[in-house]
């Protein structure tokens, strides 16, 4: 077998992991979750989940990947015993499903860049809604889904150093610079102050009454945005040398990801408020509709929108390649396939699996809720049990490489995984299942009845 690939530089891995973490989750999903779950209270709970559960689980993925030098399916087979040996398959399936609709949404963003360049955003919400529906469904959506998949195939097909590492070194700095620039610009818009108040002051009464929906949403969001729960960080860490300080890298990655999500809120909400559109509209399409309506009203809105959606598109690209890499690394490691054919074949299948979501946004919600509220969190639960309770000896040993003496931090980490992560994630999976059931028999059933 040929030599396994690795990152060329120390920063290559960090850029790639930040590129994976920062994506639609930060710029599209985060603001719409904030709007839907009542503003700043959601943000607060989300931050708590990031620190107390997200960080420990990220380290758990890192140690598994670096220890085994394998893809998630192979890694769990090698380290696990009993049924846990098969948990890698859950990750494989989740990755497959995420990418299938992630690429569809990313396709919309490309389309919205073009609309902006042609100055075609419709300046009222009803009109923007109609426009969104034509972008998000039918042949248009299929075409841009295909286009986006081709871009990912090109990058992942080129491999770790020449493909992924090179691409993220351009994309990640660009995302950061543009987002900071936009945040500064929208600060000058009228209505910005009101937007910051909405975004930054929590309503504790709302948290108390709506925690059943806020908790799973916040936990799901924390996992989604950090690319946790399906083995991306296992895979990326498997290309890493033993001299790296995993805790330090983890903190840097989380710091960037959180900063960009918070920044996205600072960009999006002032745009909403200054255009006088309501930020609380529910659903996956809301941010597109509301933003396009807002851009349609602002002077220079076309250009502003094109720049904004361009940033979202490259953020999506640098994330999508990480999801595909999980699946591709499995085919390379375990089936000895060559990189290019593995990438092409699996992408074709993912493209087809994504097609139903271009039929209607409700189908997309069906995928998104399943992935976010259940599969990712369940994946995180398994990782926490596995590393906290089963392979903790290995795990501590692996973490200490590149760090030295862990002091009390090693045990702190293990106990965070063992108790808060395991219990918290179990509760959230249950709540997620209940929510999903409600969705299936409620909104989805109604939609289905109306359409078929
Ligand atoms: N983190 C990315 C985002 O916020 C999405 C993503 C990439 C992801 N890889 C993932 C989510 C793996 C879950 C699992 O857009």
């Amino acid at each position: 077998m040929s030599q396994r690939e690795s990152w060329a530089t120390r920063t290559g891995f960090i850029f790639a992991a930040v590129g994976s973490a920062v994506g639609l989750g930060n710029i599209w999903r985060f603001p719409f979750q904030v709007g839907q779950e009542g503003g700043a209270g959601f943000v607060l709970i989300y931050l708590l989940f990031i620190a107390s559960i997200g960080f420990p689980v990220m380290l758990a993925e890192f140690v598994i990947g670096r220890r085994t030098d394998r893809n998630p399916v192979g890694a769990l087979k090698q380290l696990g015993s009993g049924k846990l040996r098969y948990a890698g398959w859950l990750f494989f399936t989740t990755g497959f499903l995420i990418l299938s609709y992630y690429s569809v949404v990313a396709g919309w963003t490309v389309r919205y860049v073009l609309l902006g360049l042609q100055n075609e955003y419709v300046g009222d919400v009803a009109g923007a809604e109609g426009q969104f529906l034509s972008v998000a469904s039918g042949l248009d959506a299929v075409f841009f889904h295909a286009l986006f998949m081709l871009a990912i195939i090109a990058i992942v097909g080129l491999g770790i150093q020449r493909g992924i590492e090179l691409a993220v070194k351009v994309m990640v700095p660009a995302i950061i610079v543009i987002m900071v620039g936009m945040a500064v610009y929208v600060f000058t818009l009228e209505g910005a102050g009101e937007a910051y108040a909405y975004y930054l002051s929590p309503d504790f009464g709302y948290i108390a009454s709506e925690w059943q929906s806020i908790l799973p949403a916040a936990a799901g969001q924390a996992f989604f945005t950090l690319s946790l729960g399906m083995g991306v960080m296992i895979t990326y860490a498997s290309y890493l040398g033993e001299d790296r300080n995993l805790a330090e890298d983890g903190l840097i990655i989380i710091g960037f990801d959180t900063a960009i999500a918070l920044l996205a809120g600072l960009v999006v909400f002032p745009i909403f408020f200054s255009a006088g559109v309501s930020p609380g509209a529910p659903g996956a399409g809301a941010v597109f509709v509301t933003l396009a309506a807002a851009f349609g009203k602002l002077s220079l809105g076309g250009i502003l929108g094109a720049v904004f959606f361009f940033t979202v598109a490259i953020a999506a690209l640098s994330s999508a390649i990480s999801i595909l890499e999980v699946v591709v690394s499995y085919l390379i490691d375990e089936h000895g396939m060559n990189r290019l054919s593995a990438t092409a074949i699996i992408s074709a299948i993912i493209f087809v699996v994504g097609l139903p979501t271009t039929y209607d946004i409700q189908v997309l919600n069906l995928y998104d809720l399943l992935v976010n509220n259940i599969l990712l969190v369940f994946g995180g639960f398994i990782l926490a049990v596995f590393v906290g309770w089963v392979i903790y000896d290995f795990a501590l040993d692996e973490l200490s490489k590149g760090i030295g003496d862990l002091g009390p931090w090693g045990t702190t980490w293990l106990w965070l995984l063992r108790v808060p992560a395991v219990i918290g994630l179990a509760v959230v999976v249950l709540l997620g299942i209940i929510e999903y059931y409600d969705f299936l028999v409620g909104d989805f059933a109604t939609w289905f009845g109306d359409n078929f």
Side-chain angles (χ1 to χ4, degrees):
M1 218 171 111
S2 57
Q3 172 90 36
R4 192 174 160 80
E5 294 174 86
S6 66
W7 303 109
T9 62
R10 183 173 173 244
T11 47
F13 163 69
I14 300 203
F15 272 113
V18 171
S20 169
V22 173
L24 294 174
N26 303 61
I27 313 180
W28 161 67
R29 207 169 186 287
F30 180 72
F32 102 67
Q33 292 281 311
V34 174
Q36 190 168 310
E37 304 295 337
F42 173 84
V43 179
L44 203 67
I45 294 179
Y46 159 84
L47 290 176
L48 278 175
F49 272 117
I50 293 273
S52 62
I53 299 183
F55 182 47
V57 171
M58 179 178 280
L59 291 184
E61 292 207 19
F62 283 168
V63 297
I64 294 175
R66 195 172 64 175
R67 185 80 186 184
T68 58
D69 281 344
R70 311 263 298 266
N71 66 91
V73 177
L76 280 131
K77 247 192 228 157
Q78 181 179 327
L79 292 175
S81 56
K83 293 245 173 2
L84 270 176
R85 298 185 65 229
Y86 302 105
W89 283 106
L90 170 75
F91 299 158
F92 183 86
T93 316
T94 310
F96 213 93
L97 264 184
I98 298 188
L99 188 53
S100 76
Y101 76 90
Y102 198 84
S103 163
V104 172
V105 178
W108 305 345
T109 65
V110 177
R111 187 64 204 284
Y112 270 94
V113 175
L114 302 178
L115 288 173
L117 291 176
Q118 296 159 324
N119 212 358
E120 279 181 4
Y121 298 128
V122 184
D124 66 283
V125 174
E129 185 130 16
Q131 187 174 45
F132 172 73
L133 289 178
S134 76
V135 168
S137 53
L139 276 185
D140 282 23
V142 173
F143 176 78
F144 284 92
H145 171 39
L147 199 70
F148 193 79
M149 287 301 301
L150 285 176
I152 317 172
I153 294 173
I155 297 174
V156 172
L158 281 171
I160 295 299
Q161 299 190 358
R162 280 187 310 146
I164 297 182
E165 190 162 342
L166 211 61
V168 294
K169 278 192 171 161
V170 181
M171 292 192 279
V172 170
I175 297 166
I176 296 173
V177 171
I178 303 176
M179 289 301 287
V180 171
M182 298 230 7
V184 172
Y185 175 77
V186 301
F187 176 74
T188 64
L189 294 177
E190 212 175 312
E194 207 189 328
Y196 299 140
Y198 168 83
Y199 179 46
L200 300 172
S201 46
D203 174 352
F204 291 103
Y206 188 82
I207 302 182
S209 68
E210 296 295 327
W211 60 273
Q212 277 139 315
S213 90
I214 296 179
L215 285 184
Q221 176 63 22
F223 269 68
F224 188 86
T225 190
L226 295 178
S227 301
L228 296 177
M230 60 143 288
V232 164
M233 296 301 170
I234 295 179
T235 310
Y236 273 10
S238 76
Y239 302 119
L240 208 58
E242 302 204 323
D243 52 335
R244 298 293 306 138
N245 180 335
L246 295 175
E248 193 181 283
D249 288 1
L251 284 175
I252 296 175
I253 294 161
I254 290 183
F256 271 109
D257 184 73
T258 307
I260 303 240
L262 295 175
L263 203 58
L266 291 179
V267 171
V268 168
F269 290 111
I271 293 175
F272 286 167
F273 278 82
S274 79
V277 293
S278 152
V287 169
F288 285 88
V289 173
T290 335
L291 271 172
F295 285 130
K297 282 186 190 166
L298 297 176
S299 54
L300 292 183
I303 293 171
L304 207 59
V307 173
F308 178 84
F309 284 114
F310 173 74
T311 321
V312 185
I314 54 174
L317 189 57
S318 64
S319 299
I321 54 181
S322 74
I323 310 178
L324 187 57
E325 179 61 27
V326 171
V327 182
V328 166
S329 70
Y330 161 75
L331 293 174
I332 297 176
D333 290 352
E334 310 296 313
H335 294 285
M337 282 179 80
N338 83 43
R339 174 170 282 275
L340 210 56
S341 37
T343 309
I345 293 172
I346 209 73
S347 301
I349 304 177
I350 291 175
F351 171 73
V352 173
V353 174
L355 287 180
T357 66
T358 64
Y359 180 75
D360 190 290
I361 188 98
Q362 275 306 357
V363 184
L364 194 123
N365 285 332
L366 186 78
Y367 282 47
D368 182 57
L369 274 177
L370 175 66
V371 164
N372 271 281
N373 290 14
I374 303 177
L375 294 178
L376 289 178
V377 193
F378 187 57
F381 169 78
I382 289 179
L383 286 163
V385 171
F386 186 55
V387 172
W389 292 102
V390 185
I391 59 154
Y392 51 88
D393 275 342
F394 282 138
L396 281 180
D397 175 56
E398 189 62 43
L399 186 66
S400 67
K401 290 177 190 160
I403 300 182
D405 185 12
L406 294 175
W409 294 109
T411 2
T412 311
W413 171 54
L414 284 185
W415 281 101
L416 279 174
L417 287 174
R418 285 176 179 171
V419 183
V422 168
I423 296 180
L425 292 170
V427 171
V428 170
V429 171
L430 290 179
L431 290 173
I433 292 175
I434 297 173
E435 282 253 318
Y436 199 59
Y437 176 79
D438 285 348
F439 168 75
L440 284 179
V441 300
D443 287 0
F444 190 74
T446 314
W447 170 82
F448 198 83
D450 289 348
N451 281 270
F452 294 100

